[in-house]
Amino acid sequence: MELSILIQDFQHIFHTSEQPRLFFAPGRINLIGEHTDYNGGHVFPAAISYGTYALAVKRNDQKVRFYSKNLSDVGIIECDLADLNYQTEHDWANYPKGMVNHFEKEGYSFPVGFDVLFYGNIPNGAGLSSSASIELVTGVMLEGLYDLSIDRIRMVQLGQMVENNYIGVNSGIMDQFAIGKGKQDHALLLDCQTLDYSYAPLNLQSHVIIIINTNKRRELAGSKYNERRSECESALKDLQTELDITSLGDLEPEQFEQFKQLIKDPIKQKRAKHAVYENHRTLEALESLKQGNLKHFGELMNQSHLSLQHDYEVTGLELDTIVEAAWDQEGVLGARMTGAGFGGCAIAIVDQNHVEDFKKDVNNTYRNKVGYDATFYVATIGDGAKELNYKGVL
Ligand code: GLA
């Protein structure tokens, strides 16, 4: 999408000749460390170049007007700064509205409202965090338009609070953190318990990361996600009867093996096993990457998928078909689902000389088994949320 077209659209929709300011927040992939964030473990995500653009100007009154170019038939959604509560009829606009609401709760005040146009190029429903992307692009927009000084990690936490308390999805901190703090050509290792983080250069030598969208709608995702969370919480309580731990992330695999019989329910035991081993794999994956041992990195990704398939049970036919087909291809170091699961996307690390064959063969297998096509994207790892300075570029 041409930037000049977005600017023209903004001016047309909001009947203004003002030049809007431009902000961007990416989507994310997670390389490894899945369903570990709300278990106090580590995650290893990266921001991608697909994301959400926000074009905005301040108004002279108390109105706030939201428009999405992706949902243009919905038209402008309008509210007043005096009433920023969740409203079902405000539909997608509850995400940015929730951010304004949470900034206010945090003590920031907005003397006047604003007009904003959003445009996102994250594939729809793909599990690449379009919701965290719109939350964070709203965060940097508020920061920029009103000249606020806000700590970036606090902004990330506000995004998660919007998701948890305003929208009502009980998600962890990974998505907002990756999107708020991402760095070009780097993955981010985050300890979700302490929020300590560090960057690791994503040097994949002759390989690229391919994102594969199953194009399966993630229907039951919300309820199953919350079910997994409570299964893990219950497993943790069982372990705490004898162990002094605050999260599953505190456990090494050896300790888990020693005490796992405390978790009476075999299903919950499997869920906890995934959380503990996946956390361990994530730290190991960072080391492999640092040592340039991409082969081992890929193996850990494969193990991660198997654990999500058999122990955590969040994959399903579509993701398993894609990932298993990817494993069979030449030039593939590793492949796994990414994000919450139950549909959405997988990722694979593929030698750049094999990308075309990879796409063709994986898609053939997928179409034969599932009945429709997958979509393939080469991932570019970009920066976190920020204002884009386009003055002089047009
Ligand atoms: C979703 C959530 C994240 C994380 C992943 C699974 O993306 O928003 O917080 O739990 O699922 O790793």
Side-chain angles (χ1 to χ4, degrees), residues 102-154:
H102 276 68
F103 267 67
E104 281 206 334
K105 286 194 167 147
E106 191 70 5
Y108 296 99
S109 58
F110 302 103
V112 291
F114 58 88
D115 287 337
V116 61
L117 175 145
F118 294 102
Y119 167 70
N121 57 11
I122 301 177
N124 214 355
L128 300 174
S129 294
S130 54
S131 65
S133 179
I134 197 169
E135 287 153 11
L136 268 293
V137 81
T138 306
V140 290
M141 177 200 79
L142 295 174
E143 180 185 39
L145 275 190
Y146 297 91
D147 209 9
L148 309 176
S149 139
I150 172 163
D151 175 63
R152 181 54 65 94
I153 293 180
R154 190 61 194 153

Short mmCIF file of all heavy atoms in Angstrom, two decimals, residues 102-154:
data_model
loop_
_atom_site.label_atom_id
_atom_site.label_comp_id
_atom_site.label_asym_id
_atom_site.label_seq_id
_atom_site.Cartn_x
_atom_site.Cartn_y
_atom_site.Cartn_z
N HIS A 102 -6.83 2.95 29.03
CA HIS A 102 -5.79 2.52 29.97
C HIS A 102 -4.70 3.57 30.17
O HIS A 102 -4.11 3.65 31.24
CB HIS A 102 -5.21 1.16 29.56
CG HIS A 102 -6.07 0.03 30.06
ND1 HIS A 102 -7.33 -0.20 29.57
CD2 HIS A 102 -5.87 -0.87 31.04
CE1 HIS A 102 -7.87 -1.22 30.22
NE2 HIS A 102 -7.00 -1.65 31.12
N PHE A 103 -4.45 4.37 29.15
CA PHE A 103 -3.52 5.51 29.35
C PHE A 103 -4.13 6.48 30.38
O PHE A 103 -3.43 6.99 31.24
CB PHE A 103 -3.28 6.24 28.02
CG PHE A 103 -2.06 5.77 27.26
CD1 PHE A 103 -2.01 4.50 26.71
CD2 PHE A 103 -0.96 6.61 27.08
CE1 PHE A 103 -0.88 4.06 26.01
CE2 PHE A 103 0.17 6.19 26.38
CZ PHE A 103 0.20 4.92 25.84
N GLU A 104 -5.42 6.69 30.26
CA GLU A 104 -6.08 7.61 31.22
C GLU A 104 -6.00 7.05 32.62
O GLU A 104 -5.70 7.75 33.58
CB GLU A 104 -7.53 7.84 30.81
CG GLU A 104 -7.66 8.85 29.69
CD GLU A 104 -8.99 9.57 29.69
OE1 GLU A 104 -9.98 9.00 30.20
OE2 GLU A 104 -9.05 10.70 29.15
N LYS A 105 -6.28 5.74 32.75
CA LYS A 105 -6.20 5.10 34.07
C LYS A 105 -4.81 5.22 34.66
O LYS A 105 -4.64 5.23 35.88
CB LYS A 105 -6.56 3.61 33.95
CG LYS A 105 -8.01 3.36 33.74
CD LYS A 105 -8.33 1.90 33.98
CE LYS A 105 -9.83 1.72 34.07
NZ LYS A 105 -10.29 0.46 33.57
N GLU A 106 -3.84 5.29 33.78
CA GLU A 106 -2.44 5.38 34.20
C GLU A 106 -2.07 6.81 34.59
O GLU A 106 -0.96 7.08 35.03
CB GLU A 106 -1.58 4.91 33.00
CG GLU A 106 -0.13 4.67 33.25
CD GLU A 106 0.13 3.43 34.10
OE1 GLU A 106 -0.80 2.68 34.44
OE2 GLU A 106 1.31 3.22 34.45
N GLY A 107 -3.00 7.75 34.41
CA GLY A 107 -2.76 9.13 34.84
C GLY A 107 -2.48 10.10 33.70
O GLY A 107 -2.27 11.29 33.94
N TYR A 108 -2.47 9.64 32.45
CA TYR A 108 -2.27 10.57 31.33
C TYR A 108 -3.62 11.19 30.99
O TYR A 108 -4.65 10.53 31.07
CB TYR A 108 -1.72 9.82 30.10
CG TYR A 108 -0.35 9.24 30.35
CD1 TYR A 108 -0.19 7.90 30.69
CD2 TYR A 108 0.78 10.05 30.29
CE1 TYR A 108 1.07 7.38 30.95
CE2 TYR A 108 2.04 9.53 30.54
CZ TYR A 108 2.17 8.20 30.87
OH TYR A 108 3.42 7.69 31.13
N SER A 109 -3.60 12.48 30.61
CA SER A 109 -4.89 13.07 30.26
C SER A 109 -4.82 13.64 28.85
O SER A 109 -3.77 14.07 28.38
CB SER A 109 -5.27 14.16 31.27
OG SER A 109 -4.27 15.12 31.28
N PHE A 110 -5.97 13.59 28.21
CA PHE A 110 -6.06 14.03 26.82
C PHE A 110 -7.00 15.22 26.74
O PHE A 110 -8.21 15.05 26.85
CB PHE A 110 -6.53 12.87 25.94
CG PHE A 110 -5.62 11.67 26.02
CD1 PHE A 110 -5.99 10.57 26.78
CD2 PHE A 110 -4.39 11.69 25.39
CE1 PHE A 110 -5.13 9.48 26.89
CE2 PHE A 110 -3.53 10.60 25.50
CZ PHE A 110 -3.91 9.50 26.25
N PRO A 111 -6.46 16.42 26.58
CA PRO A 111 -7.31 17.62 26.56
C PRO A 111 -8.24 17.66 25.35
O PRO A 111 -9.33 18.19 25.43
CB PRO A 111 -6.30 18.77 26.51
CG PRO A 111 -5.00 18.17 26.10
CD PRO A 111 -5.03 16.74 26.47
N VAL A 112 -7.79 17.10 24.24
CA VAL A 112 -8.62 17.05 23.01
C VAL A 112 -8.56 15.65 22.43
O VAL A 112 -7.66 14.86 22.77
CB VAL A 112 -8.11 18.05 21.94
CG1 VAL A 112 -8.33 19.50 22.38
CG2 VAL A 112 -6.64 17.80 21.62
N GLY A 113 -9.53 15.35 21.57
CA GLY A 113 -9.58 14.03 20.94
C GLY A 113 -8.71 13.95 19.69
O GLY A 113 -7.84 14.80 19.47
N PHE A 114 -8.95 12.93 18.86
CA PHE A 114 -8.15 12.74 17.64
C PHE A 114 -8.94 11.97 16.59
O PHE A 114 -9.95 11.32 16.91
CB PHE A 114 -6.83 12.01 17.96
CG PHE A 114 -7.02 10.66 18.60
CD1 PHE A 114 -7.16 9.50 17.84
CD2 PHE A 114 -7.05 10.53 19.99
CE1 PHE A 114 -7.33 8.26 18.44
CE2 PHE A 114 -7.21 9.28 20.59
CZ PHE A 114 -7.36 8.15 19.83
N ASP A 115 -8.48 12.07 15.35
CA ASP A 115 -8.98 11.23 14.26
C ASP A 115 -7.86 10.29 13.88
O ASP A 115 -6.71 10.71 13.74
CB ASP A 115 -9.31 12.09 13.02
CG ASP A 115 -10.56 12.92 13.21
OD1 ASP A 115 -11.41 12.55 14.05
OD2 ASP A 115 -10.69 13.94 12.50
N VAL A 116 -8.21 9.01 13.68
CA VAL A 116 -7.16 8.05 13.30
C VAL A 116 -7.67 7.09 12.23
O VAL A 116 -8.79 6.60 12.30
CB VAL A 116 -6.61 7.29 14.53
CG1 VAL A 116 -7.69 6.49 15.24
CG2 VAL A 116 -5.45 6.36 14.14
N LEU A 117 -6.81 6.84 11.27
CA LEU A 117 -7.09 5.82 10.24
C LEU A 117 -6.07 4.70 10.43
O LEU A 117 -4.86 4.97 10.53
CB LEU A 117 -6.96 6.42 8.84
CG LEU A 117 -7.11 5.46 7.65
CD1 LEU A 117 -7.80 6.18 6.48
CD2 LEU A 117 -5.79 4.88 7.16
N PHE A 118 -6.55 3.47 10.50
CA PHE A 118 -5.66 2.31 10.59
C PHE A 118 -5.64 1.56 9.28
O PHE A 118 -6.66 1.45 8.60
CB PHE A 118 -6.14 1.34 11.68
CG PHE A 118 -6.07 1.88 13.08
CD1 PHE A 118 -7.21 2.34 13.72
CD2 PHE A 118 -4.86 1.91 13.77
CE1 PHE A 118 -7.15 2.83 15.02
CE2 PHE A 118 -4.79 2.39 15.07
CZ PHE A 118 -5.94 2.85 15.70
N TYR A 119 -4.49 1.03 8.97
CA TYR A 119 -4.40 0.09 7.85
C TYR A 119 -3.43 -1.02 8.26
O TYR A 119 -2.31 -0.74 8.70
CB TYR A 119 -3.89 0.77 6.57
CG TYR A 119 -3.51 -0.25 5.52
CD1 TYR A 119 -4.50 -1.00 4.89
CD2 TYR A 119 -2.17 -0.50 5.23
CE1 TYR A 119 -4.16 -1.98 3.97
CE2 TYR A 119 -1.82 -1.48 4.30
CZ TYR A 119 -2.81 -2.22 3.67
OH TYR A 119 -2.48 -3.19 2.79
N GLY A 120 -3.87 -2.27 8.16
CA GLY A 120 -3.00 -3.38 8.57
C GLY A 120 -2.76 -4.33 7.42
O GLY A 120 -3.66 -4.58 6.61
N ASN A 121 -1.53 -4.85 7.31
CA ASN A 121 -1.27 -5.86 6.27
C ASN A 121 -0.85 -7.20 6.87
O ASN A 121 -0.24 -8.03 6.22
CB ASN A 121 -0.25 -5.35 5.24
CG ASN A 121 1.06 -4.94 5.89
OD1 ASN A 121 1.29 -5.23 7.07
ND2 ASN A 121 1.93 -4.28 5.15
N ILE A 122 -1.21 -7.42 8.13
CA ILE A 122 -1.00 -8.73 8.74
C ILE A 122 -2.13 -9.63 8.23
O ILE A 122 -3.29 -9.23 8.31
CB ILE A 122 -1.08 -8.64 10.28
CG1 ILE A 122 -0.03 -7.67 10.82
CG2 ILE A 122 -0.92 -10.02 10.91
CD1 ILE A 122 -0.09 -7.47 12.32
N PRO A 123 -1.80 -10.81 7.70
CA PRO A 123 -2.88 -11.66 7.20
C PRO A 123 -3.95 -11.88 8.29
O PRO A 123 -3.62 -12.14 9.45
CB PRO A 123 -2.18 -12.97 6.85
CG PRO A 123 -0.73 -12.64 6.76
CD PRO A 123 -0.47 -11.41 7.55
N ASN A 124 -5.19 -11.79 7.87
CA ASN A 124 -6.31 -11.83 8.79
C ASN A 124 -6.42 -13.13 9.59
O ASN A 124 -6.33 -14.21 9.02
CB ASN A 124 -7.58 -11.67 7.94
CG ASN A 124 -8.63 -10.92 8.69
OD1 ASN A 124 -8.45 -10.61 9.88
ND2 ASN A 124 -9.72 -10.63 8.03
N GLY A 125 -6.59 -13.05 10.89
CA GLY A 125 -6.81 -14.24 11.71
C GLY A 125 -5.67 -15.23 11.69
O GLY A 125 -5.85 -16.41 11.96
N ALA A 126 -4.47 -14.77 11.36
CA ALA A 126 -3.35 -15.69 11.15
C ALA A 126 -2.58 -16.00 12.43
O ALA A 126 -1.65 -16.80 12.42
CB ALA A 126 -2.40 -15.12 10.11
N GLY A 127 -2.95 -15.36 13.52
CA GLY A 127 -2.22 -15.62 14.76
C GLY A 127 -0.86 -14.94 14.78
O GLY A 127 0.06 -15.39 15.45
N LEU A 128 -0.72 -13.84 14.03
CA LEU A 128 0.54 -13.09 14.05
C LEU A 128 0.36 -11.82 14.86
O LEU A 128 1.09 -10.85 14.69
CB LEU A 128 0.99 -12.78 12.61
CG LEU A 128 1.24 -14.01 11.72
CD1 LEU A 128 1.54 -13.59 10.28
CD2 LEU A 128 2.38 -14.87 12.26
N SER A 129 -0.63 -11.83 15.73
CA SER A 129 -0.84 -10.76 16.72
C SER A 129 -1.31 -9.43 16.16
O SER A 129 -0.80 -8.38 16.51
CB SER A 129 0.43 -10.52 17.54
OG SER A 129 0.69 -11.62 18.30
N SER A 130 -2.33 -9.48 15.31
CA SER A 130 -2.86 -8.21 14.82
C SER A 130 -3.47 -7.40 15.96
O SER A 130 -3.45 -6.17 15.92
CB SER A 130 -3.86 -8.44 13.69
OG SER A 130 -4.86 -9.31 14.12
N SER A 131 -3.99 -8.06 16.99
CA SER A 131 -4.61 -7.27 18.05
C SER A 131 -3.55 -6.55 18.89
O SER A 131 -3.70 -5.36 19.19
CB SER A 131 -5.55 -8.11 18.92
OG SER A 131 -4.84 -9.09 19.61
N ALA A 132 -2.46 -7.23 19.22
CA ALA A 132 -1.40 -6.54 19.97
C ALA A 132 -0.79 -5.44 19.11
O ALA A 132 -0.37 -4.40 19.61
CB ALA A 132 -0.33 -7.54 20.40
N SER A 133 -0.77 -5.66 17.80
CA SER A 133 -0.21 -4.67 16.89
C SER A 133 -1.05 -3.39 16.91
O SER A 133 -0.51 -2.28 16.98
CB SER A 133 -0.14 -5.27 15.48
OG SER A 133 0.36 -4.36 14.57
N ILE A 134 -2.36 -3.53 16.89
CA ILE A 134 -3.20 -2.32 16.92
C ILE A 134 -3.13 -1.65 18.30
O ILE A 134 -3.15 -0.41 18.41
CB ILE A 134 -4.66 -2.61 16.45
CG1 ILE A 134 -5.37 -1.30 16.10
CG2 ILE A 134 -5.47 -3.38 17.44
CD1 ILE A 134 -6.69 -1.48 15.38
N GLU A 135 -2.97 -2.44 19.34
CA GLU A 135 -2.82 -1.84 20.68
C GLU A 135 -1.55 -1.00 20.76
O GLU A 135 -1.56 0.14 21.22
CB GLU A 135 -2.77 -2.95 21.76
CG GLU A 135 -4.12 -3.61 22.02
CD GLU A 135 -4.01 -5.03 22.53
OE1 GLU A 135 -2.89 -5.48 22.90
OE2 GLU A 135 -5.05 -5.72 22.55
N LEU A 136 -0.45 -1.58 20.27
CA LEU A 136 0.83 -0.86 20.39
C LEU A 136 0.94 0.30 19.42
O LEU A 136 1.56 1.32 19.75
CB LEU A 136 1.99 -1.85 20.22
CG LEU A 136 2.55 -2.50 21.51
CD1 LEU A 136 3.22 -1.45 22.39
CD2 LEU A 136 1.47 -3.18 22.34
N VAL A 137 0.33 0.17 18.24
CA VAL A 137 0.40 1.32 17.34
C VAL A 137 -0.40 2.47 17.96
O VAL A 137 -0.02 3.65 17.82
CB VAL A 137 -0.04 0.98 15.89
CG1 VAL A 137 -1.54 0.97 15.71
CG2 VAL A 137 0.58 1.96 14.92
N THR A 138 -1.46 2.14 18.66
CA THR A 138 -2.23 3.19 19.35
C THR A 138 -1.38 3.79 20.47
O THR A 138 -1.38 5.01 20.68
CB THR A 138 -3.55 2.61 19.92
OG1 THR A 138 -4.26 1.98 18.85
CG2 THR A 138 -4.40 3.70 20.53
N GLY A 139 -0.64 2.93 21.17
CA GLY A 139 0.24 3.41 22.24
C GLY A 139 1.26 4.43 21.74
O GLY A 139 1.38 5.53 22.29
N VAL A 140 1.96 4.10 20.65
CA VAL A 140 2.98 5.05 20.16
C VAL A 140 2.33 6.29 19.54
O VAL A 140 2.90 7.37 19.57
CB VAL A 140 3.99 4.41 19.17
CG1 VAL A 140 4.91 3.43 19.88
CG2 VAL A 140 3.32 3.73 17.99
N MET A 141 1.12 6.10 19.03
CA MET A 141 0.41 7.27 18.49
C MET A 141 0.06 8.25 19.61
O MET A 141 0.28 9.46 19.49
CB MET A 141 -0.87 6.80 17.78
CG MET A 141 -1.71 7.91 17.24
SD MET A 141 -3.39 7.36 16.95
CE MET A 141 -4.05 7.40 18.60
N LEU A 142 -0.45 7.73 20.72
CA LEU A 142 -0.80 8.61 21.86
C LEU A 142 0.46 9.29 22.39
O LEU A 142 0.47 10.48 22.69
CB LEU A 142 -1.49 7.80 22.97
CG LEU A 142 -2.85 7.19 22.60
CD1 LEU A 142 -3.36 6.29 23.72
CD2 LEU A 142 -3.88 8.29 22.30
N GLU A 143 1.52 8.51 22.48
CA GLU A 143 2.80 9.03 22.97
C GLU A 143 3.27 10.19 22.08
O GLU A 143 3.66 11.25 22.57
CB GLU A 143 3.83 7.89 22.94
CG GLU A 143 5.22 8.22 23.40
CD GLU A 143 6.16 7.02 23.21
OE1 GLU A 143 6.07 6.30 22.18
OE2 GLU A 143 7.00 6.81 24.10
N GLY A 144 3.18 9.99 20.76
CA GLY A 144 3.68 10.99 19.82
C GLY A 144 2.78 12.21 19.70
O GLY A 144 3.23 13.34 19.81
N LEU A 145 1.47 11.96 19.52
CA LEU A 145 0.54 13.07 19.30
C LEU A 145 0.46 14.01 20.49
O LEU A 145 0.34 15.22 20.35
CB LEU A 145 -0.89 12.54 19.06
CG LEU A 145 -1.35 12.11 17.68
CD1 LEU A 145 -2.85 11.86 17.70
CD2 LEU A 145 -1.00 13.13 16.62
N TYR A 146 0.49 13.41 21.70
CA TYR A 146 0.31 14.23 22.92
C TYR A 146 1.62 14.47 23.64
O TYR A 146 1.62 14.97 24.76
CB TYR A 146 -0.72 13.55 23.85
CG TYR A 146 -2.08 13.45 23.19
CD1 TYR A 146 -2.43 12.33 22.44
CD2 TYR A 146 -2.98 14.51 23.27
CE1 TYR A 146 -3.65 12.25 21.80
CE2 TYR A 146 -4.22 14.44 22.63
CZ TYR A 146 -4.54 13.30 21.90
OH TYR A 146 -5.75 13.25 21.26
N ASP A 147 2.71 14.10 22.99
CA ASP A 147 4.03 14.35 23.54
C ASP A 147 4.17 13.82 24.97
O ASP A 147 4.61 14.51 25.88
CB ASP A 147 4.25 15.89 23.53
CG ASP A 147 5.72 16.21 23.40
OD1 ASP A 147 6.49 15.27 23.16
OD2 ASP A 147 6.07 17.40 23.55
N LEU A 148 3.77 12.58 25.15
CA LEU A 148 3.80 11.97 26.49
C LEU A 148 5.14 11.29 26.70
O LEU A 148 5.77 10.82 25.76
CB LEU A 148 2.71 10.90 26.61
CG LEU A 148 1.30 11.31 26.22
CD1 LEU A 148 0.36 10.11 26.30
CD2 LEU A 148 0.81 12.42 27.16
N SER A 149 5.50 11.19 27.96
CA SER A 149 6.69 10.41 28.23
C SER A 149 6.23 9.15 28.96
O SER A 149 5.72 9.21 30.09
CB SER A 149 7.64 11.28 29.05
OG SER A 149 8.23 10.55 30.03
N ILE A 150 6.35 8.04 28.29
CA ILE A 150 5.91 6.77 28.89
C ILE A 150 6.96 5.71 28.65
O ILE A 150 7.49 5.57 27.54
CB ILE A 150 4.52 6.33 28.35
CG1 ILE A 150 4.18 4.92 28.86
CG2 ILE A 150 4.41 6.39 26.84
CD1 ILE A 150 2.73 4.53 28.74
N ASP A 151 7.26 4.98 29.69
CA ASP A 151 8.21 3.90 29.59
C ASP A 151 7.66 2.83 28.64
O ASP A 151 6.48 2.48 28.71
CB ASP A 151 8.41 3.31 31.00
CG ASP A 151 9.29 2.10 30.98
OD1 ASP A 151 10.46 2.25 30.61
OD2 ASP A 151 8.80 0.98 31.28
N ARG A 152 8.52 2.34 27.73
CA ARG A 152 8.02 1.42 26.71
C ARG A 152 7.49 0.12 27.31
O ARG A 152 6.49 -0.44 26.86
CB ARG A 152 9.12 1.15 25.67
CG ARG A 152 8.72 0.22 24.55
CD ARG A 152 7.44 0.66 23.82
NE ARG A 152 7.54 1.90 23.10
CZ ARG A 152 7.83 2.01 21.81
NH1 ARG A 152 8.02 0.94 21.09
NH2 ARG A 152 7.88 3.20 21.24
N ILE A 153 8.16 -0.35 28.35
CA ILE A 153 7.68 -1.62 28.93
C ILE A 153 6.34 -1.42 29.63
O ILE A 153 5.47 -2.28 29.59
CB ILE A 153 8.75 -2.24 29.85
CG1 ILE A 153 9.92 -2.67 28.97
CG2 ILE A 153 8.20 -3.44 30.62
CD1 ILE A 153 11.08 -3.30 29.64
N ARG A 154 6.13 -0.23 30.18
CA ARG A 154 4.83 0.06 30.78
C ARG A 154 3.75 0.08 29.68
O ARG A 154 2.65 -0.43 29.87
CB ARG A 154 4.88 1.41 31.51
CG ARG A 154 3.67 1.68 32.35
CD ARG A 154 3.49 0.63 33.45
NE ARG A 154 2.16 0.70 34.05
CZ ARG A 154 1.54 -0.33 34.61
NH1 ARG A 154 2.12 -1.52 34.69
NH2 ARG A 154 0.35 -0.19 35.12
#
